Amino acid sequence: MTQDELKTLVGRAALEYVVPGSVIGVGTGSTVNKFIDALADVRDRIVGAVSSSAQTTERLLARGIAVFDAGEIDRLPVYIDGADEIDRRGFMIKGGGAALTREKIVADLAERFICIADESKQVNVLGRFPLPVEFIDMAHERLVRRFADIGGRAVLREGVLTDNGHPLLDVHGLQIVEPPAMEAEINQWPGIVSVGIFARHRASVCVLATSAGVQRLEYA
Ligand code: 5RP
């Protein structure tokens, strides 16, 4: 199977986590796009969605799915999103699609994070995928030096601003052995808006598409 076919497979498989009669959280990216397309066929089962990006909002609305502001909703039963990498404990790198801050905000509203991914995203140690970081422009040079101090090479994502109007760094060369500790540390640095380590908001479940079929991995 091609990677695109695996994404279609896992996008459909994620429908089993959609709680009937609820508002669900919806992430961003090409895997989530497949999920939204599948969701359109059963849209009458849900009240609507809280979206993590302008791109996702546009796609949801185009398929007749109501979109609610995050502030209108106290709690979501599930948040369904992709990942750039996921390790064996459900810790993730996210933000390849520049939506990491809003993704974390919506994930924080949710009881469960359902990660949908193809097998290429599963890793033993996070960090081969460059770590996305949304930041305040004034802190640029200082943050590049801070990342160098911990062994990372931070590169500005040229020509991209997030939906919040901020630039991004992609940090190469990190080996994120303890994701909770590194997330907590980087979050303390002035000028950081969000770091793309999802440890506090790790996956509860990973629905993983492999060439042998769909696996469901639950994390304790
Ligand atoms: C967007 C994300 C995406 O979940 C991540 O980049 C995976 O995307 P794709 O499904 O296209 O591989 O974090 O900010």
Side-chain angles (χ1 to χ4, degrees):
M1 273 197 215
T2 65
Q3 192 178 29
D4 192 64
E5 287 167 339
L6 290 173
K7 288 181 182 189
T8 302
L9 185 68
V10 79
R12 285 209 200 102
L15 288 181
E16 73 188 74
Y17 294 91
V18 170
V19 178
S22 71
V23 177
I24 63 168
V26 181
T28 297
S30 57
T31 315
V32 165
N33 285 346
K34 304 288 193 181
F35 167 66
I36 295 171
D37 293 348
L39 186 63
D41 294 338
V42 297
R43 62 176 167 261
D44 295 341
R45 274 194 217 158
I46 58 163
V47 176
V50 174
S51 164
S52 61
S53 65
Q55 176 196 315
T56 287
T57 298
E58 189 182 325
R59 198 172 187 96
L60 287 165
L61 293 176
R63 282 153 184 74
I65 298 164
V67 176
F68 293 85
D69 287 340
E72 294 180 87
I73 305 294
D74 287 340
R75 217 66 187 120
L76 301 166
V78 287
Y79 175 61
I80 297 176
D81 197 359
D84 298 304
E85 285 184 347
I86 181 162
D87 76 9
R88 311 270 164 190
R89 294 174 288 177
F91 297 134
M92 296 170 285
I93 285 184
K94 293 184 44 55
L100 65 163
T101 300
R102 293 184 184 212
E103 289 172 340
K104 240 180 221 189
I105 291 169
V106 185
D108 193 56
L109 288 171
E111 304 288 342
R112 295 211 299 164
F113 189 132
I114 312 299
C115 175
I116 54 176
D118 63 81
E119 58 194 341
S120 70
K121 307 293 183 66
Q122 202 177 40
V123 298
N124 289 324
V125 178
L126 300 177
R128 196 179 55 215
F129 189 93
L131 177 66
V133 178
E134 181 170 351
F135 70 101
I136 303 291
D137 191 40
M138 181 185 177
H140 184 176
E141 288 74 14
R142 173 69 175 145
L143 289 174
V144 168
R145 289 194 297 274
R146 277 194 180 267
F147 279 112
D149 288 345
I150 62 166
R153 187 172 58 83
V155 178
L156 183 69
R157 201 179 296 183
E158 293 285 351
V160 177
L161 294 178
T162 68
D163 285 351
N164 314 308
H166 299 128
L168 292 153
L169 292 170
D170 291 306
V171 187
H172 298 250
L174 295 174
Q175 285 237 324
I176 307 172
V177 178
E178 278 307 323
M182 191 176 282
E183 180 183 35
E185 167 64 21
I186 294 171
N187 272 334
Q188 302 304 316
W189 297 351
I192 294 288
V193 176
S194 290
V195 57
I197 300 173
F198 281 57
R200 244 193 130 93
H201 297 90
R202 70 178 170 147
S204 319
V205 176
C206 180
V207 188
L208 191 72
T210 74
S211 37
V214 175
Q215 293 177 11
R216 290 155 190 85
L217 310 171
E218 302 243 357
Y219 306 103

